[in-house]
Amino acid sequence: MKKSFMMFVGIVLFSIVQAFSPSVVAQAAAFENGTYSVSFELKEAGNNNTSIADGYFSKPATLVVKNGVNYIQMTTTQSDWIKSMSGPKGSATVINETGNSRTVQFEAGDLTKPVNMKMHVVVPEDVAGMKYDHHHSVRAVFNVSGVPAATATPEKKEESTAQTQQDKDASQNTAEASGADQAEQQVDNPKTGDTSPIWLYVALLIGSIGVFTVYKTRVAKN
């Protein structure tokens, strides 16, 4: 009975801590606004083999970053074979087409990871009389190692500088006031190294009381 109760207490306390602990949210890498050339390779959907569709595109691709959003522009040299294309955020938009060359653009999301793409490929009959008509899935791997990371805008930098100066002024005023108070009366304040958040202790206390109450109720019934 005691062993089961202790396990129950442990689970409750762990749940409380998890519920109140700040969550960590992964964020995609942010790049500086601009236009960049990036190399890429199209890989098969289920493995790291180079897809046959990789040969349908000219390289490099163009990365356009606008307000933190990544847009990829790719040019196919077999526009009569590739009937449609889409990226992880939706269908690609045609921005230029000349002869058998077509340039499309789509929103790509996080470029530090493989980007899922879909395309409808129709290859005319070959010498054997076979026709290829297939909705193809690939993973585009982009090399963005040379793309500069995003920095604060001039407006944000000015705000940050102004805030820093305000913080310095406030700290100086606080220090001067503190010095004046200490000159009038010498009072030693106790120091503590405990920086734990008070809400955590409150949560643990409430949880412990609840668990103890449940335990006492069960004991009373037995």
Side-chain angles (χ1 to χ4, degrees):
M1 180 65 182
K2 288 184 178 180
K3 184 177 181 181
S4 299
F5 173 71
M6 292 305 297
M7 291 178 63
F8 178 71
V9 171
I11 293 174
V12 170
L13 296 181
F14 178 78
S15 300
I16 294 173
V17 173
Q18 288 294 101
F20 285 92
S21 297
S23 59
V24 178
V25 180
Q27 297 182 346
F31 301 118
E32 190 73 18
N33 287 343
T35 302
Y36 313 94
S37 293
V38 291
S39 59
F40 70 94
E41 181 181 3
L42 298 184
K43 296 181 177 294
E44 295 180 357
N47 53 60
N48 284 326
N49 296 332
T50 301
S51 170
I52 190 173
D54 187 71
Y56 300 162
F57 294 85
S58 61
K59 300 181 180 183
T62 299
L63 166 62
V64 180
V65 184
K66 295 180 180 179
N67 300 322
V69 180
N70 301 323
Y71 299 94
I72 285 292
Q73 295 178 359
M74 300 175 65
T75 300
T76 175
T77 55
Q78 297 290 348
S79 61
D80 56 341
W81 289 3
I82 301 180
K83 303 304 181 181
S84 65
M85 286 179 54
S86 63
K89 303 291 185 177
S91 299
T93 302
V94 177
I95 60 177
N96 184 44
E97 188 165 11
T98 304
N100 203 27
S101 176
R102 179 192 302 129
T103 301
V104 299
Q105 175 176 289
F106 58 88
E107 185 178 344
D110 187 0
L111 293 176
T112 62
K113 300 177 181 178
V115 177
N116 294 322
M117 295 176 56
K118 294 182 179 180
M119 58 187 73
H120 182 198
V121 180
V122 178
V123 180
E125 293 182 2
D126 56 18
V127 292
M130 301 296 293
K131 182 179 179 180
Y132 181 86
D133 187 341
H134 186 66
H135 289 273
H136 203 49
S137 295
V138 297
R139 297 178 303 120
V141 179
F142 295 94
N143 182 3
V144 292
S145 58
V147 181
T151 57
T153 61
E155 294 78 5
K156 289 184 178 180
K157 289 181 179 179
E158 292 178 0
E159 293 176 0
S160 178
T161 302
Q163 184 62 43
T164 301
Q165 185 59 45
Q166 292 178 3
D167 293 341
K168 289 182 179 179
D169 293 341
S171 297
Q172 183 177 356
N173 293 336
T174 301
E176 292 177 353
S178 177
D181 292 341
Q182 290 181 1
E184 293 179 1
Q185 52 179 334
Q186 297 293 332
V187 178
D188 294 331
N189 293 323
K191 297 181 180 180
T192 176
D194 187 3
T195 58
S196 300
I198 187 64
W199 55 263
L200 180 58
Y201 294 116
V202 173
L204 291 175
L205 177 61
I206 294 175
S208 299
I209 293 174
V211 172
F212 181 74
T213 301
V214 172
Y215 175 68
K216 293 292 292 182
T217 301
R218 289 185 175 181
V219 172
K221 289 182 179 180
N222 294 334

